[in-house]
Amino acid sequence: MFEPLQSKAQKILRTEYGVKNVTVEWERPAQADFGDLATPVAMQLAKELKKNPKVIAETLAEKLAKDSSVEKAEVAGPGYVNVWLKPQALIDELKKTREACTARVTRKEEAPVIVEYSSPNIAKPLGIHHILTTVIGQVIANLYIHQGYNVKTVNHIGDWGTQFGKLYVAWKHWGKGDLGTKTVDELLALYVKFHDEEENPVLEAEARNAFRSLEEGDADIRSFWKTVVNISMNEIYVLYERLHVHLAYEHGESMYENKMQPIVEEGKKKKVFTPGKDGALIADLENENLPPAIVIKGDGGTIYLTRDLATVRYRIDEWHPQASLYVVGQEQQLHFQQLFAIVKRLGWQLPHLEHVLFGRMRFADGNMSTRKGKILKLEHVLDEAVERARAVVKGHGEKIQTDDVETLAEMMGIGAVVYGILSQNRKMDILFDWDKALSFEGNSAPYLQYTHARAKSVLRKAEVKGDSFLPNNISSLSDVERSLIGGLLQFPEVVSEARESHMPHVLATYLYQLCQLFNSFYNNEPIIQAEESQKTLRLALTALTATVLKCGAELLTLRVPDRM
Ligand code: ARG
């Protein structure tokens, strides 16, 4: 933050103490009483310079205080240097915040970053739990894209496996009419019927044969499979659309069918794969402290892991990525540990591989499945959210202004669910609470949406069009103005931090705090009624807040209304 001061501090340390290689990190103090910026650099250098950190800090503060952008500099605690910037210096710095909303550095010449997410097993409806990988993954992709990376978003759909043999047999026995017109629910019903009759060994054998025929490329079953994939994906896209989720590549597991054999051979040759029990082929991972992994089953069949090995290879060959991220639940932690251990053993030139895991989702009222213990469908939860949002909007009567209740309800309902998830640390279990998610006061989508609309309404009343310009003659700031500016200044770093750590909640928490800062500014200072020079500044801060909230919300896949 605040690069000019970084180089100035470094220069002082060089002239005063001959320190050459130091990066002075300026942070934003948690409390406003500690100024706009603080650095612990004096304490970091104390040992090397054999000096009391306070002495170093004092020298630094004294010299920095002379800088034209600095109002005052003080030493605090065991050797922190706290700096208060001149109002105009703070305002000038806001340009970076505005740039962080629009212009991006482009890193297109760099190797791509692969973000794999959503990846549902198809031929059954998406359950509520699918929303986690889907939205967390999309946000991580959005953050990389926003920062100019070349991003490959991949849907590794589960479109292969014995379940397709079962479905085919069920269809042949009990299916009626034109397959192409069926819904996923109807397909699921057939699948369930098959399982109800599972005791029947004849059906089991038929299903195994059917899957084998599919693997061998039998035209009839292949076209059946293709139709089922299309039916599923069409339904899934409707949900993606509502969630503002877009994946560029749909590389299902089926795509790797003919890409596994060479890897199996390579593994055998390199003695990474060795014979296990009953004719299986395994990777012994004792040195990695992991249980052995089956690569080929006793019957010669490949499995999920085998396809993932081929996937790693394919992506390296095709894209030469710098990183490959797998946004998948923590239940699959062992799978990815084994996968990464095996590819390392194979000696491949690997990009950064990371399992971006997340916890389980629970509802505060305990309802995660429907009455019959069946999976709760994502579609139903989204519909319920919109319905609840509609009731909230209507319940507020005149207080909510909108000329389009339906659009607002969709935006608010979906936003509430998505934000309710993204505002929590993904590494923990995610507790979803309807009341909290739909509340207007608190860390929620409606609060964020409402604050944006409030800022927009001020701008409308003042007839400000577009981004209002930042004034260049400000010599004093009130406390709430200063705090709001402080909050706005953090945006670029927060986006970077959320991206680097793959933690969407870092951005969500920030947006919540920015809303609080804006609302206290709004409640404490006249904006439109202020005298001219203050009005210019306050409108500029209002406009920038609206821009940041919108940009941040969209990174989180949310939409914000101009009016509400
Ligand atoms: N289809 C899998 C499931 O639903 C998730 C796939 C995760 N990605 C991967 N490359 N294994 O459990």
Side-chain angles (χ1 to χ4, degrees), residues 461-481:
K461 282 193 199 121
E463 293 180 359
V464 175
K465 298 250 157 26
D467 235 339
S468 148
F469 66 93
L470 294 161
N472 52 18
N473 54 353
I474 298 295
S475 53
S476 73
L477 291 171
S478 70
D479 286 350
V480 278
E481 285 169 343

Side-chain angles (χ1 to χ4, degrees), residues 18 70 89 135 163 187 191 235 275 287 290 294 296 327 392 490:
V70 173
V135 299
Q163 71 270 30
L187 296 177
Y191 190 71
E235 287 193 15
N287 287 347
L290 294 169
I294 297 180
I296 298 284
V327 185
V392 169
Q490 279 171 285

Side-chain angles (χ1 to χ4, degrees), residues 507-563:
L507 176 57
T509 309
Y510 164 80
L511 293 174
Y512 173 47
Q513 286 162 356
L514 185 63
C515 286
Q516 289 177 308
L517 290 171
F518 176 76
N519 284 318
S520 94
F521 161 83
Y522 177 92
N523 291 326
N524 282 291
E525 308 278 20
I527 301 177
I528 303 175
Q529 307 301 336
E531 56 96 355
E532 209 47 39
S533 80
Q534 275 185 332
K535 180 173 160 180
T536 313
L537 170 66
R538 290 178 188 170
L539 284 175
L541 295 180
T542 304
L544 191 54
T545 302
T547 305
V548 169
L549 290 179
K550 185 175 162 89
C551 170
E554 287 178 357
L555 286 170
L556 294 177
T557 75
L558 264 60
R559 295 297 178 265
V560 287
D562 282 350
R563 203 185 281 273

Side-chain angles (χ1 to χ4, degrees), residues 387-400 402 405-406 408 412:
E387 202 174 296
R388 285 180 187 247
R390 198 181 293 123
V392 169
V393 172
K394 291 194 172 142
H396 275 73
E398 290 292 283
K399 273 189 267 155
I400 293 187
T402 175
V405 178
E406 281 320 300
L408 183 61
M412 229 169 93

Side-chain angles (χ1 to χ4, degrees), residues 219-323:
D220 176 46
I221 180 161
R222 193 116 199 142
S223 105
F224 168 84
W225 169 80
K226 190 83 218 131
T227 309
V228 170
V229 172
N230 286 339
I231 293 171
S232 292
M233 291 318 289
N234 287 340
E235 287 193 15
I236 288 170
Y237 283 125
V238 174
L239 294 170
Y240 284 171
E241 219 35 64
R242 292 179 80 182
L243 292 167
H244 312 290
V245 163
H246 299 280
L247 291 118
Y249 297 89
E250 195 180 283
H251 287 173
E253 289 187 39
S254 61
M255 200 180 104
Y256 300 98
E257 253 312 275
N258 57 10
K259 297 183 172 55
M260 290 178 280
Q261 202 48 43
I263 295 166
V264 172
E265 293 311 324
E266 179 182 344
K268 281 198 212 158
K269 211 149 84 239
K270 294 183 172 167
K271 307 250 180 325
V272 179
F273 303 154
T274 50
K277 263 194 241 134
D278 306 325
L281 197 62
I282 63 159
D284 177 282
L285 301 171
E286 212 178 311
N287 287 347
E288 286 85 353
N289 270 325
L290 294 169
I294 297 180
V295 180
I296 298 284
K297 290 186 291 184
D299 66 5
T302 58
I303 57 171
Y304 182 54
L305 177 67
T306 334
R307 286 189 280 280
D308 256 327
L309 286 168
T311 307
V312 174
R313 185 71 259 164
Y314 174 85
R315 291 177 186 168
I316 297 175
D317 294 343
E318 200 67 14
W319 288 325
H320 312 285
Q322 55 174 303

Side-chain angles (χ1 to χ4, degrees), residues 85 124 152 175 190 208 308 325 378 390 411 428 460 519 530:
L85 292 168
K124 52 187 178 199
K152 308 278 180 196
L190 283 172
R208 260 196 312 274
D308 256 327
L325 312 176
L378 173 57
R390 198 181 293 123
M411 200 188 272
M428 319 280 233
R460 254 194 320 274
N519 284 318

